[in-house]
Amino acid sequence: MVLTSMNQHGSLARAALEAGKHVLVEKPMSTSLEEGRALLEASATAPGQLVCAPHIVLSPTYREMHRRVRDGEIGELHLARSRYGWSGPWWGRWFYESGGGALFDLGVYNLTSLCGFFGPVRRVTAMVGTAVPKREVTGELVTARADDNAHIVLDFGNARFASIATGFTMQQYRSPAIELYGATGVLQMLGDDWAPNGFEQWSNARGSWEVFGERDPHSPWTDGLRHLVDCVENGTPTVTRPEHAFHALEVMLAAKRSATEARGNRGNKPLPRPRLRHPHPPRQSPPPNPRPPHPLTPQTPNSP
């Protein structure tokens, strides 16, 4: 198992394959195309099997949604929207160093999910950047040298589009992880795609939503390891293929290039702010002899 910082994934996984081992490597499989391609080529001839995280396509919810898409229950897919993020790790500097970042760590989940539904990406446009330049890691303030905020637009051909919102910039959310819009219906994965909580389905013919609970609430997000062991014991190929992981790497690197090279059209005039009136809350006087606040309670001064 390769569970190191991202820059070491590719070289360590390839070394293990060349030593005749079965390998599970964390995402991304590599941080460069050259190393990722070398790992993919090694997996084609190595005696051991290679499984690349994330393992989201193994979950019962993903498989059931995939079956319904394949069987045409919502018609041809036209559009999709996805999101995954949180406020960011505080235990490893490498998340914020070159070769790390939210796109490699988080966006890969949504990307893997969408490619499983739509197929390969034909074109990518992206905005990727660093919204929080300083991060606190294990009590020390460090400079972020990797992306922490991204919005990706994917073109799957035939006017089929999808978007990914991801970053170490999301405190909380209450929205579907994956939204699939078809010609005759909609599928929405609830929870996160690495930890789904069932799904919802809209059917034009039925004219209503149906909610389907998680079929296996105890299905672990680490199920890739069990899947690898089962395949080794039974002599069967893995469901999660290295080619899928390599394509995700191609798209993520293309998204980063797009963000660096793109020249968006900008207006020449500043946009005036909306003239909205917000009444100030009434001024409150502190109570006499106030009790000292709890040490964990954040202090906010009274509004003017």
Side-chain angles (χ1 to χ4, degrees):
M1 295 177 63
V2 180
L3 308 175
T4 62
S5 59
M6 301 177 196
N7 281 327
Q8 284 72 48
H9 287 179
S11 59
L12 291 177
R14 181 157 60 97
L17 279 178
E18 291 173 347
K21 306 296 184 181
H22 300 289
V23 179
L24 185 148
V25 59
E26 256 295 352
K27 36 74 182 172
M29 67 185 305
S30 173
T31 55
S32 74
L33 275 183
E34 295 75 17
E35 199 169 60
R37 187 175 291 108
L39 178 58
L40 186 63
E41 292 172 353
S43 71
T45 58
Q49 297 217 45
L50 173 65
V51 167
C52 305
H55 315 297
I56 46 181
V57 301
L58 299 175
S59 80
T61 287
Y62 187 95
R63 289 183 179 223
E64 180 60 19
M65 289 179 63
H66 191 274
R67 182 194 68 77
R68 292 175 184 237
V69 170
R70 181 198 62 197
D71 292 350
E73 290 197 18
I74 63 170
E76 183 180 357
L77 291 182
H78 294 318
L79 197 66
R81 183 169 63 172
S82 63
R83 62 97 190 100
Y84 176 39
W86 69 298
S87 58
W90 60 88
W91 62 85
R93 296 173 62 110
W94 55 266
F95 285 100
Y96 305 110
E97 293 173 350
S98 178
L103 184 54
F104 279 163
D105 189 47
L106 306 180
V108 64
Y109 287 93
N110 290 165
L111 178 57
T112 303
S113 290
L114 292 171
C115 289
F117 289 122
F118 281 87
V121 175
R122 305 293 179 84
R123 184 173 53 157
V124 58
T125 303
M127 289 168 283
V128 182
T130 306
V132 184
K134 297 284 186 179
R135 294 277 181 166
E136 186 174 341
V137 181
T138 59
E140 181 183 354
L141 204 61
V142 301
T143 299
R145 305 189 187 282
D147 61 273
D148 67 0
N149 209 27
H151 201 101
I152 317 297
V153 179
L154 307 171
D155 181 355
F156 291 96
N158 298 320
R160 299 177 305 145
F161 308 127
S163 66
I164 298 172
T166 189
F168 297 140
T169 49
M170 301 182 185
Q171 308 308 312
Q172 291 289 337
Y173 41 68
R174 295 179 63 184
S175 60
I178 306 288
E179 304 170 34
L180 302 175
Y181 297 97
T184 60
V186 180
L187 281 168
Q188 297 191 150
M189 181 184 290
L190 306 177
D192 284 307
D193 48 8
W194 65 273
N197 190 27
F199 64 94
E200 301 173 322
Q201 182 172 355
W202 169 270
S203 168
N204 287 354
R206 188 171 52 248
S208 63
W209 287 97
E210 281 187 291
V211 180
F212 300 88
E214 178 57 42
R215 307 177 86 188
D216 184 3
H218 303 293
S219 176
W221 63 270
T222 55
D223 212 28
L225 178 58
R226 182 173 63 181
H227 179 61
L228 175 59
V229 172
D230 289 343
C231 291
V232 170
E233 289 181 342
N234 299 324
T236 55
T238 59
V239 171
T240 53
R241 304 302 304 155
E243 293 83 1
H244 195 161
F246 181 71
H247 181 62
L249 176 62
E250 288 181 308
V251 175
M252 289 187 291
L253 291 174
K256 293 189 177 192
R257 288 197 304 272
S258 171
T260 302
E261 300 168 359
R263 295 180 176 86
N265 294 324
R266 300 181 179 180
N268 294 324
K269 296 182 179 179
L271 180 67
R273 293 179 178 271
R275 295 184 177 180
L276 302 177
R277 294 183 178 274
H278 301 286
H280 292 288
R283 183 184 297 274
Q284 297 179 352
S285 300
N289 300 320
R291 294 171 57 189
H294 189 280
L296 297 183
T297 302
Q299 296 302 293
T300 304
N302 292 332
S303 301

